[in-house]
Amino acid sequence: MRTLRFDIVSIFPGMFESPFGDSIIQRAREEGLLDLRVHDLREFSLNKHKKVDDSPFGGGVGMVMNVEPFARAIAEVKKEVPETRTLLLSPGGRPFDQEKAWELSRLPSLTLICGRYEGIDERVRQHFVDEEISIGDYVLTGGEIPAMVLVEAVSRLLPGVLGDPDSIVEESFAGNLLEYPQYTRPQDYQGMKVPEVLVSGDHKKIRAWQKAEALKKTERVRPDLLKKNRRS
Ligand code: 9D3
């Protein structure tokens, strides 16, 4: 059995309590598959008021997060896990996707750095960050929720975390297609009927229908998925 360790650095450590104390993530932690630690950035400030930002050189509105607290927090993590990969969650990063989730799931340790809207001193990126990751093209107020997204996407890929490993196999077998429509009882809900083919008992025909429906939906909603590395 293998453990993936996450060290998260944030000025809002409390934000992680409920999402990580819940359901699948919590069970994975209890079973030793996941080791999740959250570090309060302010504790690494040497300022008497635990300040972690300052006004920008060159002028301009707003504040910039200081390099020192991040440098000290990352150094502390590296004392325990020297081999850690340090990721900065930032809207200017490479877009996160399933392939990246698989890649990260094979590593032993990830340190996630959360910035806030104001921005961070460029020297953090230059000297302490291995990779910058965004979760999509929209603006949030900080890297905390993106860090949770990353933890969840990566954790569920670890052997033993999901109750049913078949669902991951099926997911990757379905390749870059959206899901086909699914139905369960009743077969007729107030005149809204389940497609006949699904109750035909003809499994070959059912598979063909599901595949065709998945393709139709993908063409309509996400034609970009059909262009990129097709496995269908
Ligand atoms: C002030 C100009 N902004 C550039 C778009 C800077 C900025 C905006 C928002 C800096 C930080 C943030 C807060 N967002 C994140 O830290 C963040 C994020 C996001 O906003 N969208 C998608 N992925 C991510 S990962 C981290």
Side-chain angles (χ1 to χ4, degrees), residues 181-183 187 192-200 209 213:
Q182 298 189 92
Y183 300 85
Q187 201 178 321
M192 300 173 243
K193 295 198 172 66
V194 171
E196 274 300 329
V197 58
L198 296 181
V199 292
S200 68
W209 180 86
E213 289 294 317

Side-chain angles (χ1 to χ4, degrees), residues 89-91 115-119 133-143 146:
L89 283 310
S90 144
R116 299 300 300 177
Y117 183 81
E118 49 193 351
I133 294 181
S134 158
I135 62 160
D137 294 337
Y138 37 80
V139 181
L140 304 172
T141 55

Side-chain angles (χ1 to χ4, degrees), residues 16-120:
F16 296 88
E17 276 166 29
S18 164
F20 290 173
D22 227 55
S23 65
I24 289 188
I25 300 278
Q26 176 61 17
R27 213 193 51 221
R29 295 176 84 173
E30 286 166 4
E31 289 176 6
L33 300 166
L34 262 187
D35 181 357
L36 275 170
R37 304 170 191 224
V38 183
H39 308 272
D40 184 353
L41 182 67
R42 290 191 193 283
E43 305 205 335
F44 298 92
S45 169
L46 294 176
N47 177 280
K48 57 179 173 293
H49 302 112
K50 298 191 177 179
K51 216 165 86 88
V52 294
D53 59 8
D54 207 336
S55 46
F57 279 121
V61 291
M63 303 286 272
V64 175
M65 297 179 84
N66 298 112
V67 60
E68 183 171 71
F70 284 117
R72 296 183 69 234
I74 294 166
E76 172 121 326
V77 171
K78 284 188 172 168
K79 269 197 283 176
E80 284 195 46
V81 262
E83 74 279 22
T84 195
R85 184 166 182 80
T86 304
L87 310 180
L88 172 65
L89 283 310
S90 144
R94 285 247 175 76
F96 186 60
D97 62 12
Q98 193 62 26
E99 192 180 332
K100 179 59 71 178
W102 276 111
E103 178 193 325
L104 298 178
S105 76
R106 293 177 194 112
L107 299 175
S109 159
L110 296 167
T111 298
L112 308 184
I113 305 300
C114 305
R116 299 300 300 177
Y117 183 81
E118 49 193 351
I120 72 173

Side-chain angles (χ1 to χ4, degrees), residues 8 43 45 63 82 87 90 101 121 149 158 167 177 202 205:
I8 299 174
E43 305 205 335
S45 169
M63 303 286 272
L87 310 180
S90 144
D121 191 304
V149 167
L158 301 175
S167 52
L177 288 183
D202 183 340
K205 214 167 138 192

